[in-house]
Amino acid sequence: MDKIQITQPSITQLEIDYVNDAVTNGWGAKCYDYIYKFQDAFSNYIGSDYCLATSSCTGAIHLGLMALGIKEGDEVIVPESTWIASVEPVMYIGAKPVFVDVLKDTWCIDPKKIEEAITPKTKAIIVVHLYGNVCEMDEIMGIAKRHDLKVLEDSAEGLGSEYRGKKCGAIGDCGVFSFHGTKTMTTGEGGMLVTNNKEIYEKVSVLNDHGRNPKDPENKTFWMRDYGYKYKMANINAALGLAQISRMDELVEKKRLIFNWYKEELSGNEGIQLNEEQEYAFNSYWMPTIVFLKPLNINRELLFSKFQSENIDSRPFFLPLSSLPMFDSVKENKISYQIGYNGINLPSHHALKKSEIAAICDVLRKFILTN
Ligand SMILES: *Cc1c(COP(=O)(O)O)cnc(C)c1O
């Protein structure tokens, strides 16, 4: 039996046709066509006014923070539980990440603890819709408004998720997405920044073009007032993205089906917490995840080797970021420190069959009974 992969993209003839067309014809006068079409289709899907395609989500976060005016020495509030890429751009700028604990039920940043972490130096909050779970956006936007802070929504894992009927990524000052090959849709590597704020859009557009501003009165082809960055997406990648975004409803539906298969299989197992959606949320379930609650006393490393021997791929929950050597640990972030060592991600790629999920859950249940 082939190994059951944790993630892999869903590629159909449509993706192959678009990429073939881009690589064959998408040059010269047509070298941006798929980029524009992809950005338009993405705007439509998310319901945001402006979209900028980038070569990665990490790059999009960097551009977003710059456009929000984050500078060296500023404090940026970030969740303790997330992928390192949510925080690295804060370091690029020389700003300081302030790690805040997550909630026990959503594993997303705790609004009350955001408020406690605010100081006169705080300028922005990065929220992360972890594994497709949805942050409490009304509370967070309210806090941001009261304290005059910017909000960047890292929706790399939340593409297709919704907060009270609004797509994640379209609620904060700006939102970012990832199209890395492990994510719900892919462009190979790639990202997107979305915003409803024209000023932010113009800033990120200039920063992403080496600082060239088409509106600058002194602008000539190779003239720029300041240096910038280059995180552009290639036309070939955008062709893949256009095909994928046109299939988003189907892709999200399958992710939800897979999650529900897990939920059925694991129902009644005390001590296992799944990332179920809250009443305010529509969860696109990028990655079905379980956390073993304390009484089970599971040895996660043993479980990984068991899965390995059964040819099943799995992954640990993100470790608390402040536990990494380059940061000062914030042990008070108790929930992140608890789930970071007791959670695992389960396979969820689009080609999975119900029988495979049943087999995965069989291994899991037997392991719990005998350990
Ligand atoms: C994947 C991911 C990113 C980074 O995306 P890249 O496209 O690989 O740069 C950022 N934040 C989160 C939460 C992610 O899961």
Side-chain angles (χ1 to χ4, degrees):
M1 191 174 81
D2 282 348
K3 186 165 190 158
I4 299 182
Q5 297 297 320
I6 190 150
T7 62
Q8 64 192 36
S10 162
I11 303 296
T12 64
Q13 194 58 42
L14 185 70
E15 282 80 357
I16 295 167
D17 289 346
Y18 281 11
V19 173
N20 255 327
D21 180 49
V23 76
T24 312
N25 306 308
W27 308 103
K30 291 180 167 178
C31 74
Y32 297 121
D33 283 8
Y34 275 108
I35 299 173
Y36 295 145
K37 280 186 198 164
F38 177 40
Q39 288 176 161
D40 285 349
F42 201 85
S43 277
N44 254 331
Y45 178 76
I46 295 295
S48 68
D49 293 344
Y50 306 100
C51 271
L52 181 77
T54 57
S55 52
S56 72
C57 174
T58 310
I61 296 172
H62 192 192
L63 293 174
L65 291 176
M66 300 279 294
L68 294 176
I70 308 309
K71 300 218 159 54
E72 197 175 334
D74 289 344
E75 289 180 6
V76 178
I77 289 175
V78 294
E80 177 77 73
S81 300
T82 180
W83 174 228
I84 186 75
S86 307
V87 178
E88 279 167 330
V90 177
M91 310 308 286
Y92 302 166
I93 292 173
K96 181 180 175 229
V98 175
F99 296 103
V100 163
D101 209 1
V102 297
L103 290 161
K104 201 166 70 225
D105 46 357
T106 62
W107 314 328
C108 289
I109 195 162
D110 183 338
K112 281 202 194 72
K113 295 196 172 144
I114 291 178
E115 200 137 31
E116 290 165 19
I118 293 170
T119 76
K121 287 187 176 170
T122 310
K123 291 284 150 52
I125 309 164
I126 296 178
V127 302
V128 180
H129 302 294
L130 201 74
Y131 302 132
N133 296 6
V134 178
C135 300
E136 295 184 346
M137 292 309 295
D138 280 348
E139 287 81 349
I140 292 164
M141 296 311 290
I143 292 165
K145 200 164 178 207
R146 281 201 298 284
H147 297 271
D148 194 23
L149 305 174
K150 303 292 184 194
V151 175
L152 184 148
E153 278 182 276
D154 181 345
S155 305
E157 304 179 3
L159 177 56
S161 288
E162 294 174 15
Y163 175 82
R164 299 197 191 284
K166 260 193 171 172
K167 285 272 178 355
C168 289
I171 302 165
D173 294 283
C174 62
V176 294
F177 297 88
S178 170
F179 311 127
H180 179 256
T182 54
K183 300 288 159 65
T184 297
M185 67 156 271
T186 192
T187 58
E189 292 273 5
M192 189 75 85
L193 184 143
V194 307
T195 181
N196 292 320
N197 181 319
K198 189 166 181 218
E199 208 180 312
I200 292 174
Y201 173 70
E202 286 176 350
K203 279 188 186 156
V204 292
S205 303
V206 169
L207 284 168
N208 198 27
D209 191 21
H210 302 288
R212 281 189 288 199
N213 189 343
K215 287 189 177 164
D216 196 316
E218 299 193 59
N219 179 51
K220 299 179 190 77
T221 304
F222 293 137
W223 194 93
M224 52 287 288
R225 189 171 297 277
D226 204 353
Y227 58 83
Y229 302 86
K230 191 195 177 210
Y231 288 125
K232 288 181 177 182
M233 179 179 279
N235 199 51
I236 295 174
N237 299 72
L240 182 47
L242 182 64
Q244 294 260 284
I245 193 73
S246 75
R247 295 179 49 227
M248 266 313 287
D249 288 342
E250 171 204 334
L251 295 178
V252 169
E253 207 177 300
K254 184 66 197 271
K255 286 280 188 186
R256 287 180 61 85
L257 186 62
I258 289 169
F259 179 85
N260 280 310
W261 286 337
Y262 277 117
K263 192 172 141 184
E264 273 172 37
E265 285 284 342
L266 297 174
S267 74
N269 277 271
E270 300 280 319
I272 295 183
Q273 183 195 352
L274 271 159
N275 50 320
E276 273 190 70
E277 66 198 359
Q278 312 310 118
E279 91 340 290
Y280 58 75
F282 176 86
N283 191 328
S284 58
Y285 293 124
W286 170 56
M287 202 166 256
T289 297
I290 50 177
V291 168
F292 298 110
L293 304 179
K294 256 205 181 124
L296 279 184
N297 205 14
I298 289 289
N299 181 332
R300 196 169 61 166
E301 298 312 314
L302 274 182
L303 178 56
F304 286 137
S305 41
K306 180 74 189 155
F307 272 140
Q308 192 74 23
S309 69
E310 301 281 343
N311 238 355
I312 296 165
D313 200 11
S314 59
R315 276 192 194 176
F317 202 101
F318 293 123
L319 292 177
L321 286 182
S322 76
S323 71
L324 301 176
M326 60 283 202
F327 300 116
D328 295 328
S329 65
V330 188
K331 295 252 169 61
E332 305 85 81
N333 290 338
K334 287 210 173 67
I335 294 168
S336 294
Y337 273 75
Q338 169 67 22
I339 59 179
Y341 296 95
N342 290 286
I344 70 166
N345 307 135
L346 299 169
S348 69
H349 69 79
H350 300 93
L352 274 174
K353 298 187 202 75
K354 195 172 182 188
S355 58
E356 289 172 307
I357 307 254
I360 296 166
C361 292
D362 237 23
V363 173
L364 194 58
R365 277 188 305 253
K366 278 192 194 125
F367 181 84
I368 292 169
L369 280 178
T370 54
N371 277 272

